[in-house]
Amino acid sequence: MTMLDGTVVNVALPRIGADFDVPLSALQWTITAYMLPLAGLILLGGGLGDRYGRRRIFMIGVAWFAAASVLCGLAPNDGALIAARALQGVGGALLTPGSLALVQGTFRAQDRAKAVGLWSGLGGVATSVGPFLGGWLVDGPGWRWIFYINAPLALAVLLLAVRWVPESRDWQATGRFDVAGAALAALGLAGITYALIDATGGFGPTVIAAVLAGLLFTALFVRREGRTGHPMLPLGMFRVKLFTSVNLVTLCLYAAIGGVFFLLPTQLQNGLGYEALAAGVASLPITILMMLLSGPAGALAQRIGPRPLLTLGPLVAAVGLVLLRRVHPGGSYWADVLPAVVVLGFGMSMFVAPLTATVLASVDVRRAGIASGVNNAAARVAQLLAVAALPLAVGLSGSGYRTVSTVDHAFGEAVLICAGLMVLGAAVSWFTVPPDVLRPAEDTPHARPECTVHGAPALPPLEPGRRRDAGPLPGPGGPPGPEGDGAAPA
């Protein structure tokens, strides 16, 4: 549901803008209001799952998300919609961390890469199917149903979780929750995001004040995380070079993805005159490729190492983004749109699963939750900033998103910027990711599933500095901080 909502709203933005008669900034806030609490609170949500049970917090988040979705559908104006979207983001921050942590803690070491690959692939499918499903709903019963549909999905998820999902938690999780850290992170992101969106109207005093406030809160967040005994974000994890570099790759790749999926539906609908459903169907090849290739890509990365796929995949995706520049009013879908989305989808299928698996392999398996949470937060922050900054970078503001020539010019510039981000991510992968990081460990007694069923720990606590599946923990002095939780992006 969370990955679907990350893109399903995009295809409805032109219709929402027309119904509420609002400028582009209101549409940007419709997206960023959801991503802000999701990015700022996801690590806190992971910590709650560690302490009180990942399945329990997951189910609370699902119910919260569904209730907020109904409020989105009932919104009478853009202000109410933005507020309800923020509540949706809080629910997403509760439910998202447990999803991957439960998968990571249940499977044996030699099966994790395949399981994570399937998890990533299904998440990617949800991300890509959003435009198609959104277009069908927008052209049919109306854009409000893109939110109402989450209610029956949530009910199905809750029933399946009760029946099939075992409880899992970190029995060593202690200490206070870093609520202040989560608040400072959210405020820092909010200030920077507000400045980027408001700057399309000029760099006035409000923009400058928002930038300064965002930077101040961000600095206070980093300072707090370095001093508190139980940080939401253990800064010591970034002493592991692979963990740091893979998160930099995530920032580059998901900024590009977030930017293109934000502007592509607008280009197809307002620039080329597509109906919402046609705009959704136009990107259907991405869905098909993600469904077919993400799982095999995860298995291939385990055999040959992630570096080739994390380098070649973004480069292929960059070619697809450059091809999207040929999409102009009056152009042909078969000659212009289809080749671009096929190449883009093929490239994304190559790097999504290996990226997630590499993040998890960079740290001790007990720290998979916090590692995946940091990576998920990095992906959300990247998409958040891309939605806020890309229109500013290409000169799209106000009601310009309704003008064919303005949208066409802005989209052509935007895809080149996104392609550059893909190339940058490929370069970082090639120079920093070792070739054998995903090599499966032997199935020793220490590599059994780290799962908790019916409240009993499956394994005794690990010795400090040891991994269940790969020997000593990389980095100086063993684990750099307390445990946490989170979820990786798709």
Side-chain angles (χ1 to χ4, degrees):
M1 292 192 301
T2 57
M3 300 306 294
L4 184 68
D5 254 57
T7 56
V8 70
V9 179
N10 291 345
V11 77
L13 289 179
R15 195 68 58 87
I16 293 173
D19 285 357
F20 288 152
D21 192 22
V22 292
L24 178 66
S25 59
L27 303 185
Q28 288 175 278
W29 277 114
T30 301
I31 301 297
T32 56
Y34 171 72
M35 291 185 178
L36 268 171
L38 185 59
L41 302 178
I42 196 166
L43 293 178
L44 181 62
L48 290 170
D50 272 353
R51 183 79 60 84
Y52 299 114
R54 291 158 183 159
R55 184 182 69 169
R56 177 183 300 173
I57 299 301
F58 172 80
M59 294 176 65
I60 292 173
V62 169
W64 183 310
F65 191 91
S69 298
V70 173
L71 291 178
C72 289
L74 297 173
N77 52 52
D78 60 304
L81 176 60
I82 291 170
R85 287 281 285 167
L87 290 176
Q88 254 193 329
V90 175
L94 293 175
L95 76 90
T96 303
S99 60
L100 183 63
L102 288 168
V103 171
Q104 182 73 2
T106 302
F107 285 86
R108 298 180 301 171
Q110 64 267 36
D111 295 329
R112 284 192 195 114
K114 294 180 181 179
V116 171
L118 182 57
W119 184 95
S120 300
L122 292 174
V125 168
T127 301
S128 301
V129 81
F132 171 75
L133 179 61
W136 178 70
L137 292 172
V138 170
D139 284 344
W143 64 263
R144 296 178 185 275
W145 280 91
I146 65 175
F147 300 110
Y148 292 146
I149 196 173
N150 285 328
L153 287 175
L155 179 60
V157 168
L158 292 173
L159 292 175
L160 289 170
V162 169
R163 176 64 182 86
W164 294 106
V165 179
E167 185 57 285
S168 173
R169 71 185 68 192
D170 178 7
W171 293 93
Q172 297 180 349
T174 59
R176 299 178 180 178
F177 292 110
D178 190 11
V179 177
L184 289 172
L187 289 172
L189 285 173
I192 295 171
T193 302
Y194 181 88
L196 290 171
I197 293 176
D198 198 49
T200 55
F203 290 88
T206 303
V207 173
I208 296 174
V211 169
L212 293 177
L215 294 176
L216 174 61
F217 284 123
T218 301
L220 291 174
F221 167 72
V222 174
R223 182 174 181 269
R224 175 179 173 79
E225 298 308 284
R227 294 190 175 190
T228 183
H230 300 280
M232 180 181 74
L233 176 61
L235 299 181
M237 294 185 68
F238 292 96
R239 292 198 298 265
V240 180
K241 293 182 180 179
L242 178 59
F243 180 76
T244 301
S245 65
V246 175
N247 278 287
L248 290 175
V249 173
T250 299
L251 286 171
C252 295
L253 302 187
Y254 278 86
I257 293 172
V260 71
F261 277 118
F262 175 63
L263 292 178
L264 179 59
T266 300
Q267 166 73 338
L268 294 176
Q269 292 180 68
N270 291 354
L272 278 67
Y274 282 29
E275 295 293 330
L277 178 58
V281 172
S283 60
L284 189 60
I286 298 177
T287 302
I288 297 173
L289 288 169
M290 293 289 291
M291 186 181 302
L292 295 177
L293 301 180
S294 289
L300 179 62
Q302 190 170 15
R303 290 199 301 270
I304 69 173
R307 184 166 64 182
L309 295 177
L310 291 180
T311 302
L312 184 59
L315 292 177
V316 172
V319 172
L321 290 171
V322 172
L323 290 176
L324 278 175
R325 201 166 189 267
R326 301 169 58 229
V327 177
H328 289 294
S332 165
Y333 172 77
W334 300 104
D336 300 324
V337 181
L338 181 61
V341 296
V342 166
V343 176
L344 176 59
F346 186 69
M348 289 175 59
S349 301
M350 293 174 67
F351 70 71
V352 165
L355 183 62
T356 303
T358 304
V359 169
L360 297 176
S362 67
V363 297
D364 181 276
V365 68
R366 290 188 305 128
R367 305 183 67 79
I370 188 65
S372 56
V374 172
N375 190 244
N376 200 317
R380 300 292 181 256
V381 168
Q383 293 174 309
L384 169 70
L385 296 179
V387 170
L390 202 55
L392 174 65
V394 299
L396 186 63
S397 63
S399 59
Y401 70 96
R402 304 180 190 178
T403 306
V404 173
S405 59
T406 303
V407 170
D408 184 50
H409 177 268
F411 181 76
E413 297 297 316
V415 292
L416 290 181
I417 294 174
C418 293
L421 290 170
M422 286 285 184
V423 173
L424 180 59
V428 175
S429 297
W430 177 255
F431 288 108
T432 63
V433 177
D436 58 350
V437 67
L438 295 183
R439 182 176 297 169
E442 296 180 3
D443 188 18
T444 65
H446 290 290
R448 291 177 298 171
E450 195 151 346
C451 173
T452 301
V453 183
H454 300 306
L459 288 174
L462 286 171
E463 297 176 6
R466 299 291 297 178
R467 296 177 57 171
R468 294 202 190 278
D469 60 340
L473 178 70
E483 300 295 321
D485 190 21

